[in-house]
Every structure is written in structure tokens, then in C-alpha cells.
Amino acid sequence: MPTLDIRGKLAAAEIGFYAPIAVLSFILIVRYAFRRDAGWFFLFIFSAARMAGGALVVAGQLQPAKTDLLLAAYILENAALAPLLLSSLGFIGMAGQHTYSENPRVTISLRLLGFVGLAGLGLSIAGGILGSPMSPNQASIGLILRRAASGVFAGFYVVLFMVHIGTWTYRWHLRSYRRSLLWGISAALPFLGVRIAYAVLSAWSASDLYGTRPSSNPTLANFNPITGNWIFYLALGLVMEFVVAALYLFSSTILAKRHR
């Protein structure tokens, strides 16, 4: 009978870790009915994607004949970074309500950056499909698209970080609880940067989605999330993004709680 390897066990743990974040985010979405910025919505999408990806890996390892399960999981592995980045954008907008978020120039800039994130999502999904058993003759195009997606995510993060620095110039105009949210975002962004850097390295760690054709550079090949060093995958990938998600949820609820 098939059993779970270390990555299968990590995938099972993902389901348990992200379930509370998904539930709490969904409750907040329903409670506020989108009256605030979309940080919680994208955080819910990210958590749901991580839970779905974990379930697909577990199912794929227990049912080896169903290779499509693992394919979907590997596509979600990279594509789910888009909603995590977009949630960052949403929480920055939430922190600036009634201050910089009311500035038309800032609003347009945040929306344009959001479209860049959606473009990265599209590239990531297309890159995962092309070169897979669904399109075996377009592997090179799929590789280009996956690497382009990682570049888009990296560029998104750089601009996001610069925008975040700019928001601190409004710190004395913010209410204390919104400033607390901004502190939470500041704490999360370094972890997000490590996660994005890992995504870029993993995109160049192999020439195929499954990691069966690793880079000729053994150090770079270790950063592949499927066939590389699982400790790197855990420390630089799973832990980093979970810390970011947890900090966003904590800072947007507990830290940003309005005191009356």
C-alpha cells in the first residue's frame, strides 16, 4: 500500500495549519461584507489554495496512478503566491483607509500593481500546464512562462516593499490601530521576501515542473520544492509563507482592534 513520504506528510500538516486561517478569514469576509479592502479575501483564497494543494499531494501519493492530482498540486504551489501578494496589497490599503488610500494616485497605483499580480498568476498557471502531460510538446514555453511568473512575483514584491516604505510617511496621520496594522505588515514583509526569493530559485532549479531534470548546478537544484532538499522547502517555503499569513491575520484583527 502506498505511503506518504516527507513531502506528503508536510502536505498533510499544511491542511491542519491553514484550516484555522481559512475559517477565520472567511468569517471576517462575511462579517464585513467587503466593506474593507480585500486583504482577508485574498488571505482566504491563499489558505484555501494551500489546503487544496496539500490534499492533492496526499491523494496523489496514496493513488500513484492518478498523476493529474500531483500536477494540479505542483501548479498550485507557485500560483498560490499571487493571492498572498495580493493580500499584502489589500492590508496596506486597509491600513491607509481615510488617509493615503483616499489619494487617487495611490489608489490607481495599488490597482495597477494588483493587475501585475494577476498577470503573474496567469503566467504561473499557463507555465504549469504547458510542458505537462497535457501539452508535452511545449515544455520549453512552459519553462519560460514559469520563470517569467517568478520574475513578475519578485518585481511585485520589490514595488510592494517600496510602497510600504512610502506609507510610513503618513504614520502620524494614521489612527493608532491602523498604525499597529502597518507594524504587522512591516514585520511580515521580510518573511515574504524570503519566500519570493525561494520561488525564484526554485523556478531555475529544474527545467520541468516535476523536478526530474534538475539544474546542472547542484546547489541550485537543492532549491527545487519537489526533488530538492526538503529542509530548504520547509524552512524557506512553508514556514515563511505561514508566518506571513499568521502575521497578517493577527495584525489585522488583534493588533488593529479599535479601542473605545
Side-chain angles (χ1 to χ4, degrees):
M1 180 178 177
T3 57
L4 297 177
D5 62 14
I6 184 63
R7 281 175 172 74
K9 293 174 182 177
L10 291 174
E14 270 191 288
I15 300 172
F17 275 104
Y18 279 105
I21 294 179
V23 171
L24 290 173
S25 299
F26 182 76
I27 291 173
L28 290 166
I29 292 169
V30 173
R31 178 180 178 182
Y32 290 101
F34 290 101
R35 290 195 300 272
R36 297 189 178 185
D37 287 85
W40 289 321
F41 173 74
F42 287 114
L43 186 60
F44 169 74
I45 296 297
F46 169 73
S47 302
R50 283 295 176 247
M51 291 172 63
L56 288 167
V57 169
V58 171
Q61 290 195 2
L62 295 179
Q63 304 175 68
K66 296 184 178 180
T67 57
D68 289 348
L69 295 174
L70 289 178
L71 171 62
Y74 297 157
I75 292 175
L76 274 176
E77 174 68 28
N78 296 317
L81 288 177
L84 184 59
L85 287 167
L86 290 170
S87 72
S88 308
L89 204 60
F91 287 123
I92 285 178
M94 181 189 294
Q97 283 184 339
H98 309 303
T99 51
Y100 59 79
S101 290
E102 308 302 320
N103 186 321
R105 183 178 300 178
V106 173
T107 301
I108 292 173
S109 298
L110 294 179
R111 287 177 180 174
L112 289 175
L113 190 55
F115 285 122
V116 172
L118 293 176
L121 173 63
L123 288 171
S124 184
I125 294 174
I129 294 174
L130 296 176
S132 70
M134 299 172 62
S135 304
N137 298 323
Q138 301 184 33
S140 60
I141 298 177
L143 176 62
I144 292 171
L145 292 180
R146 289 193 301 275
R147 290 178 174 175
S150 70
V152 170
F153 290 151
F156 186 110
Y157 174 79
V158 171
V159 176
L160 177 73
F161 193 85
M162 293 171 63
V163 169
H164 152 261
I165 292 175
T167 61
W168 276 106
T169 61
Y170 290 84
R171 62 188 179 279
W172 304 122
H173 302 280
L174 298 174
R175 294 181 181 272
S176 60
Y177 59 90
R178 296 197 187 281
R179 199 156 54 240
S180 296
L181 172 56
L182 204 54
W183 274 115
I185 296 170
S186 298
L189 284 181
F191 296 99
L192 181 58
V194 172
R195 179 62 184 92
I196 296 301
Y198 178 72
V200 173
L201 291 171
S202 66
W204 291 84
S205 65
S207 59
D208 69 314
L209 185 65
Y210 294 91
T212 56
R213 297 195 295 273
S215 168
S216 57
N217 184 327
T219 302
L220 189 57
N222 278 328
F223 290 100
N224 189 272
I226 302 167
T227 58
N229 190 314
W230 70 268
I231 296 178
F232 288 170
Y233 172 61
L234 173 63
L236 304 178
L238 300 184
V239 171
M240 292 296 109
E241 63 188 19
F242 180 76
V243 170
V244 172
L247 280 173
Y248 283 165
L249 187 62
F250 177 73
S251 61
S252 63
T253 52
I254 305 301
L255 284 184
K257 186 176 181 180
R258 191 183 310 213
H259 298 288
R260 295 178 178 174

